[in-house]
Amino acid sequence: MTDIGEAISRVHREEWARVVATLARRLGDLDIAEEMAAEAFATAVERWPVDGVPPNLGAWLTTTAHRRAIDRLRREVRREEWHREALMLADTPEPLGAIDDDRLRLIFTCCHPALAMPARIALTLRMVGGLTVPEIARAFLVHETAMGRRITRAKTKIKAARIPYGVPFRDDLPARVSGVLAVLYLIFNEGYLASDPGQEPVRHELTAEAIRLARLVVALLPADGEAAGLLALMLLTEARRAARVSPDGELVALRDQDRGAWDRELIAEGHALVRARLATGQPPGRYQILAAINAVHTDAPDARDTDWSQIVALYDQLLRLDPTPIVRLNRAVAVAELDGPQLGLAEVDALPLDGYHAYHATRAELLRRLGRSGESRAAYGRAIDLAGNSAERAYLTRRRDQLAGP
């Protein structure tokens, strides 16, 4: 580690100016060149202890920085294309209405109540959120061909019915906010645990943007409990980001995370939002309950101190609002912690989630705790086959390989 640190320090002294100059010639922008060079050095700090120091240090840094720059430019080009396409849906330009932020305005514009909720969410994720069709399909747990058809049908309906996609004013916001919150939640989730194996395991640019937009929604609609609940949920989840992936690129389970690495400022802000919503005495919605569950997790100084009975009770409340198999799966995990893996497994086995990697990962862990190693290995294998996130696959592979088996 000392040799690597010295190598990075030496390259920084000797190669920094050359790397920046090379990038500036290629990119035509000195500011971007310096930013990409800094990212390349940060990548070196992460990767060289794992992969070893490359033979040509300057070339490695230049190539890495150049690739990062190309990726960024491609994202910006795609984003501009999506924004233009969204704006073309409007027959005539309208005033800016109640929303000053360009991206949030487009999200509210695309979440038109004339479309069915799944269609408006999928269309907005594609056109404004920047997610690919496969990423959106994985978020909805459907095949990407089916999702592509859903998005196409939504566009066709807009044109055929001549749905007026005007920029919304303040009176329009309440009818659209539920779709907007769903879009932001799915963007955040894709950043929190990227489903594309070609992406970084955690995409901070997506989680940060989702949080920024959620703050704007709360400012626009301060009385909307679900907007505040979603922001609290995002903050409490983002607070754990630094502890979620190990230095060697493996996902770290919640029970094993270094809680000293959690962001206490984000946790305090999230807890304050949860308490403020509870103080209103109004019945909580889905995001508020999910935020409360995360508040219980982040309130425990150690995983062993987690109040699982409260978490099960919160999931019971959530099931009355959102009786989906995913919620039942998460509740089963809490039941297993509270009442033992046998009861948790019985609930999991009853769920119709064979195509969902987290279902098989949960089964694998519970079977492992019950000493059923062969079945656990098979469940891990199925989870690995279905998982797209590289850090999650690494974690599941290690857990499987620790078990004795054929």
Side-chain angles (χ1 to χ4, degrees):
M1 185 68 74
T2 301
D3 292 341
I4 290 172
E6 291 176 354
I8 294 173
S9 177
R10 175 169 56 81
V11 173
H12 195 287
R13 292 193 304 270
E14 299 174 359
E15 300 286 349
W16 173 263
R18 189 179 68 80
V19 170
V20 170
T22 301
L23 288 170
R25 286 196 300 273
R26 293 182 184 180
L27 302 173
D29 190 309
L30 180 60
D31 290 338
I32 293 178
E34 290 183 340
E35 187 176 346
M36 293 301 99
E39 288 193 12
F41 273 92
T43 302
V45 172
E46 295 178 359
R47 298 307 312 165
W48 290 3
V50 178
D51 301 337
V53 179
N56 189 329
L57 309 181
W60 187 97
L61 288 163
T62 301
T63 300
T64 299
H66 191 234
R67 288 173 178 168
R68 289 290 183 95
I70 291 173
D71 287 343
R72 171 184 286 192
L73 291 172
R74 284 174 176 167
R75 286 197 301 271
E76 292 302 322
V77 169
R78 288 200 298 270
R79 183 176 296 122
E80 289 302 318
E81 290 174 349
W82 289 320
H83 283 196
R84 284 196 298 272
E85 187 177 356
L87 288 171
M88 286 173 64
L89 292 172
D91 291 334
T92 56
E94 296 191 18
L96 296 184
I99 307 169
D100 292 331
D101 184 83
D102 288 341
R103 177 168 288 188
L104 186 62
R105 187 185 310 122
L106 281 172
I107 293 175
F108 268 99
T109 298
C110 288
C111 285
H112 196 287
L115 291 174
M117 184 65 77
R120 78 178 82 156
I121 293 170
L123 183 65
T124 308
L125 285 170
R126 179 72 182 116
M127 295 173 62
V128 185
L131 270 63
T132 64
V133 172
E135 288 169 344
I136 299 168
R138 286 189 287 267
F140 280 84
L141 300 182
V142 300
H143 193 277
E144 64 181 82
T145 303
M147 179 53 66
R149 288 197 296 265
R150 181 182 296 180
I151 293 172
T152 299
R153 285 196 300 269
K155 291 181 180 179
T156 301
K157 179 175 181 179
I158 291 168
K159 294 177 181 177
R162 298 190 62 80
I163 294 173
Y165 259 59
V167 178
F169 290 89
R170 188 167 296 277
D171 290 345
D172 301 320
L173 303 187
R176 304 188 184 203
V177 69
S178 59
V180 171
L181 296 180
V183 167
L184 298 185
Y185 183 47
L186 291 174
I187 291 173
F188 181 87
N189 282 347
E190 181 60 29
Y192 167 77
L193 195 67
S195 62
D196 185 348
Q199 296 282 358
E200 291 293 318
V202 177
R203 299 176 63 184
H204 179 54
E205 79 277 7
L206 291 184
T207 58
E209 179 67 354
I211 290 172
R212 184 185 74 84
L213 294 172
R215 290 188 187 281
L216 292 177
V217 175
V218 171
L220 277 170
L221 301 167
D224 191 295
E226 282 293 79
L230 179 59
L231 177 57
L233 172 60
M234 289 180 178
L235 294 173
L236 294 172
T237 306
E238 180 72 359
R240 305 195 299 266
R241 178 169 59 88
R244 290 189 60 246
V245 178
S246 68
D248 58 354
E250 182 179 310
L251 191 72
V252 181
L254 177 60
R255 64 178 177 272
D256 299 322
Q257 289 178 13
D258 175 10
R259 300 189 176 215
W262 290 357
D263 189 321
R264 291 295 156 185
E265 289 187 8
L266 291 182
I267 289 173
E269 185 180 358
H271 283 191
L273 285 168
V274 171
R275 288 194 298 269
R277 292 312 309 170
L278 289 173
T280 66
Q282 298 174 354
R286 174 173 178 253
Y287 297 121
Q288 294 169 75
I289 296 173
L290 287 171
I293 291 169
N294 276 266
V296 176
H297 280 299
T298 51
D299 193 47
D302 188 275
R304 293 168 295 185
D305 301 320
T306 304
D307 188 346
W308 289 107
S309 62
Q310 187 176 0
I311 290 177
V312 171
L314 286 166
Y315 273 120
D316 287 339
Q317 192 173 2
L318 182 59
L319 275 174
R320 290 192 285 272
L321 298 176
D322 188 21
T324 61
I326 300 296
V327 174
R328 294 186 183 280
L329 177 64
N330 290 326
R331 181 186 180 278
V333 173
V335 168
E337 295 294 335
L338 182 64
D339 298 321
Q342 189 68 55
L343 288 177
L345 182 62
E347 295 198 10
V348 171
D349 283 342
L351 299 173
L353 290 170
D354 186 63
Y356 184 40
H357 78 279
Y359 165 79
H360 295 282
T362 301
R363 288 193 75 248
E365 290 290 332
L366 296 177
L367 288 164
R368 179 194 196 101
R369 289 170 58 184
L370 290 167
R372 295 158 62 178
S373 298
E375 294 173 84
S376 179
R377 282 181 60 86
Y380 277 124
R382 179 69 171 142
I384 292 165
D385 289 341
L386 292 170
N389 186 275
S390 58
E392 194 168 17
R393 287 172 62 91
Y395 168 77
L396 293 170
T397 300
R398 179 178 62 80
R399 296 287 286 175
R400 180 198 61 189
D401 294 347
Q402 288 174 341
L403 292 170

